[in-house]
Amino acid sequence: MLLSLPGKALLPLVASFAFLFSGVVHADLAYQNPVAELKAIVDAPRSPRLLIGPHKKTLLQVTRPGLPSITDVAQPELKLAGLRINPLMRAASRFDFGVALTLQNIDSGQQRRVSGLPAGARIADALWSPDERSVAFSVWGKGGVELWLLDVASAKAHRLLESPLNATTDRGFVWVGATGKLLVKTLVAGQEAAPKASVIPAGPNVQESIGGKVSQSRTYPDLLKTPADDAMLDWQLLSQLRVVSLDGTSKALGKPGHFVGAVASPDGNYVLSTELHRPYSRLVQFDRFPRRIEVRDMSGKPVYTVIDRPLLERMPSGNDAVYAGPREISWRSDAPATLFWAEALDGGDPARDVKDRDALFLLPAPFTQSPKRLQTLTTRFADIVWGRNDLALVSEFWWKTRDLKVWRVRPGSPEAAAELLQQRKSEDVYSDPGTPATTNNRWGEPVLLTSRDGQSIYLAGDGASPEGKRPFLDRYALDTRKTTRLWRSEAPWFEEPVSVLDEEARSMLYWRESQDTPPNLYRRELARPDSVTALTHIQNPTPQFKGVQKQLLRYRRADGVDLTATLYLPAGYDARRDGPLPMLMWAYPQEFKSAAAAGQLNESPYRFNFISYWGPQPFLARGFAVLDNPAMPIVGEGTQEPNDSYLAQLKMNAEAAVKEVTRLGVADPERIAVGGHSYGSFMTANLLAHTRLFRAGIARSGAFNRTLTPFGFQSEDRNFWEAKAVYQAMSPFNYADQIKDALLMIHGEMDNNPGTFPIQSERLYQALQGLGGTSRLVMLPNESHGYRARESILHMLWEEDRWLDTYVRKASPRDAASR
């Protein structure tokens, strides 16, 4: 932890500080605890994880303990090609586990505690069987990741397989259709010991670029650097595919390989496997390494190769760029064994001027025919929801313009013309008709839920509107394309559909919450408005915040763009009686292609006042007003790019927010702080560099020098050399000499997010320290882009509380010259 103070005078500090020099404090600091009211938020009980059975008859609740300790988070971890692997478990690093399981009958509400779990169980992933009779789940044990089985009828669990799973790239197990079997990736019996890198290098590590070939990749962390890294990745990924029966017997599928994915066909007769192979790369992460995607029969024999994809170090640039060849490869969920994929018609290059961009293909078993073209798209394939031979919904999207289209296609008759059902801008949330409801078919696969006559589907949406979000459920007639409103959330509740329970939409499961009541799962009979049954009874984890006042604000920035924000005020506060408060604003910029979309209201005043340690709301307990998510739209209409006017728009957004809370009399304009995480951190530093609206800033896990992300960042898809002035103007590092107010920076030492390398915070701190600014840099050991350990979270709140108390709450008014 480093702290720079204005001026050069040495200050008396506590004995734990190692040394002082020229106004710079280098502190040897143990983890600190914040005041009791902030600590209580961190230690509040966590809601269970809920998994609804495919037949909607049974609910599985996974009890979660408190946050992991730093001892857990500091376990050994390998960083290989974008993967973070726990080498003791041969699994992707994780710290969020369940400790107990409870089954609940949805109709009766009866609960049964699951028995047979191991002492001190660390439950990782869980997956319902298609018949809802079993739940497969994984447990992190002493010898690796174990596969367990829960029998729903008896509510008893037992270990199913002795061989540990390989969960380095996924959970390591899936159900094989409705066969009652599981497809798993296990460790290889008798595998030789992990390779050890020599401490004596054999030679230099060399990279070479041959002129004339353009290759533009974003700045990725955790890349492979040496041949020893390559060998370790091979060793960690090596696994054996096996089919496991519910009696614990298993059969190997072929030979071991470096599998990163495997999924059975719906009928259980084939496996679609993805296997990594060399050459590896020093420039990109494992998802762009060479991979062979092929269909195997249930003996493990390859019967069809979909693609042997080469290394993707060189790809077209832009957010609409994709690689050439088959992609988005999957099984058609409503057919026994039919492959589906998309393929670029423009080489994956959005810069090419072509009429058609993508084509969609189908290939049924036994995969001996030529693939059939299902549809040709003028933009990029985005999604498909299967239904039946004459019904599937295809979505296509173009990021540059935000154009979204939804089509009806007939997979059983690929020659039939597609029907356009929807065309809109994706950022226009007011026009969003909702997401199609699905159900599980006989293979346990998701398919469109249709009415009994097959002529209608159901759409569940957020219901964003000028009055706030009001989720809804509609019936959509496929022939007339007309909708019928079946249900809509009503004040004072905020309710969201989870699942429609029958083909006539007579009943549904949904979340219900209010400002003082946390979300709980309910069942409702739509024809009987009073027929509402609570299925869960989750209590308010922070009852001490009951009565917190929340208000949705609508205001306008100087150029006329409408803005929104959520204002939180302490319980019992009265502006006329108590006067303006110190305030913390917490925001995250977002790019738009239209001012109209930027001004839309996409929140509800009736949502639960969830007080999370991760956001700004905890400081309500410290007497602050909080402005959460004040809109920071960056608009670029037509051919204009949003970031061409980033700073001007950012300042207008902030000025409008400060003006509004000052007008309301709830915030003292001399005592307002601004903060954010990641891109919100970048915003914070820019606001301190280019305005004097704020007395202090909190910048967590940010990036501040855009020359260090030269091939794009966030939604910017131009490279540095195409938009040099934009990159330079947007980099607060370039204006560190203009940051006159106190800036607290917190960063995880092991940040795994592309672009937000820890050096970004380190270099901005060095600049501020060297220029005589007031700043503090806190590097959290073993933490990534998001912080996980209880000690880290407590310390983060301690730092933020002290910073706000010193530089905001106790701040004296500035003279006119310094504003």
Side-chain angles (χ1 to χ4, degrees):
M1 183 275 293
L2 296 172
L3 170 66
S4 69
L5 304 172
K8 297 184 177 181
L10 299 183
L11 302 178
L13 294 171
V14 296
S16 64
F17 290 150
F19 61 87
L20 301 173
F21 178 75
S22 190
V24 181
V25 178
H26 300 259
D28 249 346
L29 191 64
Y31 287 108
Q32 299 295 304
N33 287 323
V35 295
E37 51 263 48
L38 296 181
K39 186 177 180 182
I41 299 169
V42 177
D43 292 331
R46 303 171 72 197
S47 298
R49 189 154 51 98
L50 305 180
L51 290 85
I52 302 171
H55 294 174
K56 314 299 188 296
K57 300 295 184 183
T58 316
L59 180 67
L60 179 67
Q61 297 192 33
V62 184
T63 302
R64 299 190 300 163
L67 294 177
S69 71
I70 190 64
T71 302
D72 296 320
V73 173
Q75 291 297 306
E77 185 176 64
L78 298 175
K79 303 172 181 64
L80 299 170
L83 295 171
R84 297 261 171 119
I85 299 172
N86 184 315
L88 303 178
M89 290 291 110
R90 296 286 291 274
S93 295
R94 67 180 297 164
F95 307 98
D96 187 15
F97 297 98
V99 294
L101 300 174
T102 302
L103 290 167
Q104 178 176 337
N105 184 286
I106 289 178
D107 290 331
S108 69
Q110 179 189 11
Q111 292 188 343
R112 295 175 295 155
R113 186 86 166 192
V114 173
S115 62
L117 295 173
R122 292 188 294 170
I123 302 166
D125 296 296
L127 198 61
W128 278 100
S129 65
D131 61 9
E132 205 171 294
R133 294 179 179 178
S134 306
V135 177
F137 62 98
S138 56
V139 173
W140 279 31
K142 293 182 179 180
V145 181
E146 304 167 358
L147 180 64
W148 283 63
L149 188 74
L150 164 61
D151 175 66
V152 174
S154 65
K156 293 181 179 179
H158 67 277
R159 186 171 178 178
L160 183 63
L161 189 67
E162 284 302 313
S163 178
L165 301 177
N166 187 321
T168 51
T169 60
D170 54 22
R171 72 171 75 92
F173 63 94
V174 293
W175 287 96
V176 181
T179 64
K181 298 179 180 180
L182 288 151
L183 173 64
V184 304
K185 291 190 308 178
T186 67
L187 302 186
V188 176
Q191 184 181 6
E192 61 185 19
K196 293 184 179 180
S198 173
V199 296
I200 303 174
N205 298 310
V206 178
Q207 299 183 56
E208 181 178 7
S209 175
I210 306 299
K213 295 183 178 181
V214 176
S215 174
Q216 301 186 9
S217 297
R218 296 205 171 187
T219 49
Y220 298 112
D222 302 344
L223 298 177
L224 300 180
K225 296 180 176 64
T226 67
D229 289 345
D230 299 346
M232 178 57 76
L233 180 64
D234 280 338
W235 192 88
Q236 292 290 337
L237 293 182
L238 188 66
S239 59
Q240 174 67 60
L241 297 180
R242 307 187 74 87
V243 173
V244 183
S245 299
L246 297 190
D247 61 4
T249 59
S250 69
K251 182 184 75 170
L253 262 65
K255 297 179 180 179
H258 301 101
F259 296 106
V260 296
V263 59
S265 60
D267 66 1
N269 289 328
Y270 299 94
V271 169
L272 181 64
S273 66
T274 302
E275 187 176 6
L276 227 61
H277 65 79
R278 299 202 187 198
Y280 297 156
S281 171
R282 304 289 185 261
L283 295 176
V284 296
Q285 296 180 328
F286 89 102
D287 59 339
R288 289 171 62 175
F289 285 4
R291 56 186 56 205
R292 186 178 300 105
I293 303 176
E294 56 191 355
V295 177
R296 300 166 180 265
D297 63 22
M298 296 312 286
S299 72
K301 177 184 176 182
V303 296
Y304 180 76
T305 299
V306 185
I307 184 175
D308 191 348
R309 199 189 74 186
L311 176 64
L312 299 177
E313 281 189 340
R314 303 181 185 277
M315 281 185 61
S317 63
N319 292 319
D320 292 307
V322 296
Y323 62 84
R327 68 180 200 279
E328 306 288 346
I329 304 160
S330 62
W331 294 110
R332 179 180 160 185
S333 67
D334 62 341
T338 296
L339 286 171
F340 165 82
W341 68 82
E343 194 162 347
L345 300 176
D346 57 2
D349 188 354
R352 290 189 182 179
D353 185 12
V354 297
K355 176 186 176 183
D356 298 319
R357 296 285 180 182
D358 271 358
L360 310 181
F361 294 93
L362 293 171
L363 181 61
F367 318 108
T368 54
Q369 305 172 4
S370 297
K372 292 184 178 180
R373 184 175 294 202
L374 174 63
Q375 189 181 10
T376 301
L377 305 174
T378 58
T379 57
R380 291 285 179 240
F381 167 74
D383 189 29
I384 188 164
V385 185
W386 302 102
R388 57 188 189 231
N389 265 342
D390 68 341
L391 176 62
L393 301 182
V394 171
S395 301
E396 63 172 306
F397 178 64
W398 196 247
W399 167 259
K400 199 72 171 178
T401 59
R402 313 298 198 269
D403 285 324
L404 173 65
K405 296 177 184 177
V406 178
W407 301 83
R408 176 185 179 170
V409 295
R410 292 169 168 77
S413 305
E415 67 281 357
E419 300 174 29
L420 183 62
L421 302 183
Q422 179 191 150
Q423 182 173 6
R424 65 185 186 91
K425 298 292 186 180
S426 63
E427 63 186 11
D428 179 11
V429 295
Y430 289 177
S431 68
D432 186 353
T435 301
T438 61
T439 188
N440 291 88
N441 62 15
R442 60 192 174 100
W443 297 306
E445 299 289 341
V447 293
L448 285 165
L449 176 65
T450 59
S451 57
R452 185 176 290 113
D453 62 9
Q455 299 306 306
S456 298
I457 60 174
Y458 300 97
L459 300 174
D462 287 340
S465 70
E467 62 185 19
K469 290 173 70 171
R470 293 182 60 189
F472 63 84
L473 179 67
D474 284 350
R475 178 185 285 113
Y476 179 84
L478 293 166
D479 53 354
T480 64
R481 303 181 191 175
K482 293 182 179 180
T483 60
T484 302
R485 180 64 40 94
L486 302 178
W487 169 88
R488 191 183 190 194
S489 178
E490 299 287 346
W493 301 100
F494 180 80
E495 300 167 320
E496 288 183 290
V498 173
S499 179
V500 180
L501 296 180
D502 61 276
E503 58 188 9
E504 291 303 303
R506 290 185 294 263
S507 59
M508 71 175 183
L509 301 180
Y510 66 102
W511 291 110
R512 169 185 265 200
E513 61 187 282
S514 67
Q515 285 196 10
D516 289 325
T517 306
N520 274 284
L521 190 64
Y522 280 73
R523 176 173 179 155
R524 175 189 288 270
E525 306 301 321
L526 295 185
R528 297 159 52 201
D530 296 333
S531 178
V532 174
T533 304
L535 302 178
T536 61
H537 303 276
I538 299 168
Q539 300 299 306
N540 187 342
T542 53
Q544 65 272 32
F545 286 90
K546 188 172 183 178
V548 161
Q549 304 168 60
K550 178 166 68 176
Q551 180 182 352
L552 294 185
L553 303 185
R554 300 295 304 268
Y555 51 100
R556 185 168 291 176
R557 75 185 191 188
D559 63 353
V561 174
D562 290 325
L563 302 176
T564 63
T566 303
L567 174 66
Y568 292 87
L569 298 168
Y573 168 78
D574 183 271
R576 293 183 180 180
R577 181 191 66 213
D578 303 323
L581 297 173
M583 171 173 276
L584 174 59
M585 292 186 181
W586 200 264
Y588 193 95
Q590 185 177 352
E591 295 87 351
F592 290 88
K593 290 301 293 180
S594 77
Q600 292 181 344
L601 181 59
N602 197 22
E603 192 46 272
S604 168
Y606 305 113
R607 300 209 73 156
F608 175 58
N609 292 336
F610 184 61
I611 309 298
S612 168
Y613 55 75
W614 196 243
Q617 290 90 343
F619 294 98
L620 291 163
R622 304 292 285 152
F624 276 73
V626 168
L627 194 68
D628 188 33
N629 200 27
M632 297 284 171
I634 310 298
V635 182
E637 297 192 309
T639 59
Q640 182 186 15
E641 293 292 336
N643 285 337
D644 288 347
S645 54
Y646 173 87
L647 285 177
Q649 295 192 61
L650 186 68
K651 288 191 285 186
M652 281 193 291
N653 294 330
E655 288 165 354
V658 169
K659 182 179 178 181
E660 179 65 9
V661 295
T662 302
R663 183 189 69 82
L664 294 173
V666 297
D668 178 354
E670 291 290 330
R671 295 188 299 158
I672 300 178
V674 64
H677 188 89
S678 196
Y679 206 51
S681 175
F682 172 70
M683 169 208 73
T684 297
N686 264 312
L687 286 173
L688 263 61
H690 298 284
T691 77
R692 298 303 303 277
L693 294 168
F694 306 101
R695 297 306 297 267
I698 299 173
R700 295 194 323 225
S701 300
F704 310 106
N705 184 347
R706 286 303 168 196
T707 68
L708 298 180
T709 57
F711 288 111
F713 57 90
Q714 203 69 7
S715 297
E716 178 58 66
D717 59 7
R718 297 169 295 181
N719 67 43
F720 171 76
W721 295 273
E722 292 170 329
K724 195 175 293 186
V726 172
Y727 274 65
Q728 296 283 17
M730 290 180 68
S731 297
F733 179 85
N734 293 344
Y735 303 93
D737 59 327
Q738 297 178 189
I739 297 179
K740 304 301 182 184
D741 295 295
L743 179 60
L744 170 64
M745 288 178 284
I746 304 175
H747 214 124
E749 287 185 352
M750 305 298 177
D751 196 324
N752 66 341
N753 185 54
T756 54
F757 289 77
I759 196 173
Q760 292 272 5
S761 290
E762 292 168 349
R763 291 297 179 261
L764 181 57
Y765 171 78
Q766 289 175 335
L768 293 172
Q769 178 269 320
L771 292 166
T774 299
S775 62
R776 183 176 174 95
L777 174 62
V778 180
M779 303 298 292
L780 297 173
N782 298 102
E783 293 295 358
S784 188
H785 193 59
Y787 320 141
R788 302 154 297 188
R790 177 175 180 271
E791 291 86 346
S792 299
I793 300 297
L794 289 170
H795 190 88
M796 175 192 77
L797 289 174
W798 180 79
E799 294 280 0
E800 293 174 347
D801 187 40
R802 291 174 70 249
W803 204 253
L804 293 172
D805 186 62
T806 301
Y807 295 106
V808 182
R809 186 204 308 276
K810 297 176 181 177
S812 56
R814 290 185 288 211
D815 56 50
S818 63
R819 293 177 184 171

